[in-house]
Amino acid sequence: LGEAWKVLRVLNQAAVRREWVELHQRAEEIESSPGSLFDEIGVEEGPLLLLRWYLEAEQLLVPEIAAPAVCTQLDDLAKRLSQRLPPRFRPSEAVVQLSSVLFEEEGFRGNSDDYYDTRNSLLDHVLASKKGIPISLSVLFAAVCARVGVHLDMIGMPGHFLLALKPSDAESRIFVDPF
């Protein structure tokens, strides 16, 4: 039985590798065209491939379930967020309200106790444990915001990761540190 799990894992990872190459090619094509990358590729698409790469043994039997389950949870969070927003809202209102939902009500936080645990990078685990590292919490935050029409810049820093709301005539740039 142990060999069968190994074969399933190899087959799953080969499929994920192919999808990663396709996603990368799509991103390159979009970047060279006038469209927006965020309009075509969800911020969570890469991390969902990572999730599928590291599926647990029992999940390998039905690998097509894990990613849609995470998307459903992201959709549910976006629905909760949209219910708190007026019909015409400023992007900063969405950021403030989502911060309240995730960090105050749901208890999401940085996992500083076990920072280097691989599961901190997997969205299914982050959603279940409500703990993650800066980049996974940022992906979660940005993916929910994107579902209500708010696109955030993702900013890699030395040893950290932040989000930023683009400045506009009505609002200054707002930085978000989900960790």
Side-chain angles (χ1 to χ4, degrees):
L1 191 59
E3 291 301 312
W5 289 120
K6 288 178 186 176
V7 169
L8 275 175
R9 181 163 309 284
V10 167
L11 291 172
N12 177 65
Q13 290 178 343
V16 170
R17 188 177 296 114
R18 280 190 304 275
E19 289 179 49
W20 173 256
V21 169
E22 291 169 9
L23 179 63
H24 189 264
Q25 289 171 340
R26 270 182 39 215
E28 285 181 335
E29 290 169 9
I30 293 166
E31 283 182 337
S32 64
S33 68
S36 168
L37 190 60
F38 288 118
D39 292 336
E40 299 292 326
I41 297 177
V43 69
E44 72 276 10
E45 283 194 45
L48 289 175
L49 289 175
L50 184 65
L51 174 156
R52 288 187 38 229
W53 182 271
Y54 286 103
L55 288 176
E56 300 289 334
E58 61 276 359
Q59 293 173 306
L60 289 170
L61 296 173
V62 281
E64 63 279 356
I65 291 176
V70 167
C71 290
T72 298
Q73 290 178 281
L74 295 173
D75 292 342
D76 291 345
L77 287 167
K79 184 177 181 182
R80 280 180 59 192
L81 173 59
S82 66
Q83 290 170 344
R84 294 167 170 250
L85 297 170
R88 293 177 53 104
F89 63 90
R90 293 185 321 275
S92 62
E93 291 176 290
V95 167
V96 168
Q97 288 299 323
L98 182 57
S99 294
S100 178
V101 168
L102 291 180
F103 306 117
E104 293 172 20
E105 295 171 26
E106 290 295 322
F108 281 88
R109 61 186 170 84
N111 189 354
S112 39
D113 295 334
D114 200 3
Y115 188 90
Y116 295 101
D117 184 343
T118 307
R119 295 172 297 176
N120 287 328
S121 298
L122 306 176
L123 286 180
D124 59 338
H125 177 74
V126 171
L127 285 161
S129 69
K130 299 186 180 188
K131 293 187 276 186
I133 55 175
I135 194 166
S136 60
L137 291 170
S138 293
V139 167
L140 169 65
F141 198 99
V144 174
C145 276
R147 282 167 165 72
V148 298
V150 175
H151 298 291
L152 299 168
D153 290 331
M154 302 183 85
I155 305 168
M157 307 285 288
H160 204 57
F161 204 87
L162 298 173
L163 298 168
L165 190 57
K166 295 179 191 309
S168 68
D169 293 339
E171 297 185 295
S172 60
R173 190 167 183 87
I174 296 173
F175 290 90
V176 180
D177 183 355
F179 191 76

